[in-house]
Amino acid sequence: MDRIAIIGCGGSGKSTVARELARILDAPLTHLDTLYYHEHWTPLPTDEFAAQQEKLVTGDRWIIEGNYAGTLPIRLAAADTVIFLDLPATACLRGILQRRWHYRGGQHPADGVYDRITWNFIRYILGYRRTMRPRIHRLIHDHGPHVRLITLTSRHHANRFIDHTRRATPPGT
């Protein structure tokens, strides 16, 4: 695992899994929300966002976490591993509530946490498995048939994966 794309619904634990894997693998980590949002939640123009990702994926080793299906083909084409956090909506809603409790809202770039809960975001979470999951699978099929796909369906499953990776990775790797 040298070039890892971590994707999944909001609140699924992408940032947490990414931070843990970056520590274990000693790999550079990029949170896409950090690239996409400027102060006051101003989004980066689409072409600039895509160009920054094109540059990031040229590296030999990286972990990039974030969904952004519109630019996912860029990451899929260069990744060797995709970790898809495919958790139920209830787990994701619990995740955003825990994030809110911990961070109290706002932007926390150092942790890759961008905590803004809106009704549109809640609707997105509720419909993610019905609408986005099939789209994600199509994109993986079309742009990343070469990747190792790891699908994690619960926080317990994600924690076991992290523990397994920690045990299998020699210190200093």
Side-chain angles (χ1 to χ4, degrees):
M1 292 191 301
D2 290 318
R3 296 175 312 280
I4 305 167
I6 301 176
I7 56 178
C9 185
S12 64
K14 295 182 302 293
S15 295
T16 301
V17 169
R19 282 192 305 271
E20 288 299 315
L21 286 178
R23 274 189 212 110
I24 294 165
L25 302 173
D26 193 29
L29 169 60
T30 301
H31 301 282
L32 289 180
D33 283 348
T34 303
L35 290 181
Y36 188 69
Y37 289 112
H38 294 293
E39 255 186 306
H40 311 294
W41 300 101
T42 306
L44 190 66
T46 305
D47 57 338
E48 288 179 43
F49 186 51
Q52 286 195 21
Q53 289 178 67
E54 292 279 2
K55 187 175 179 181
L56 282 171
V57 300
T58 62
D60 291 334
R61 299 184 71 233
W62 46 261
I63 297 172
I64 301 174
E65 73 86 8
N67 226 29
Y68 297 96
T71 57
L72 184 55
I74 295 168
R75 288 167 273 142
L76 291 174
D80 60 33
T81 305
V82 171
I83 299 172
F84 181 26
L85 289 143
D86 187 16
L87 278 65
T90 53
C92 294
L93 289 171
R94 196 173 324 113
I96 65 168
L97 291 174
Q98 288 171 337
R99 182 169 62 204
R100 173 56 52 98
W101 176 258
H102 182 76
Y103 288 97
R104 305 287 189 224
Q107 299 176 345
H108 305 272
D111 293 333
V113 173
Y114 285 69
D115 183 22
R116 182 171 76 165
I117 300 173
T118 65
W119 285 113
N120 281 341
F121 186 49
I122 291 170
R123 280 192 295 275
Y124 169 78
I125 290 171
L126 292 172
Y128 186 89
R129 280 185 144 182
R130 186 182 71 258
T131 59
M132 285 303 296
R133 178 170 49 178
R135 183 174 176 201
I136 296 294
H137 282 292
R138 276 193 310 278
L139 287 168
I140 292 169
H141 178 267
D142 293 346
H143 301 280
H146 58 281
V147 302
R148 173 182 175 211
L149 175 61
I150 300 167
T151 302
L152 305 173
T153 57
S154 70
R155 294 195 194 289
H156 177 72
H157 195 187
N159 289 334
R160 278 191 3 226
F161 172 73
I162 289 167
D163 288 342
H164 173 76
T165 304
R166 186 178 289 116
R167 286 191 308 273
T169 305
T173 298

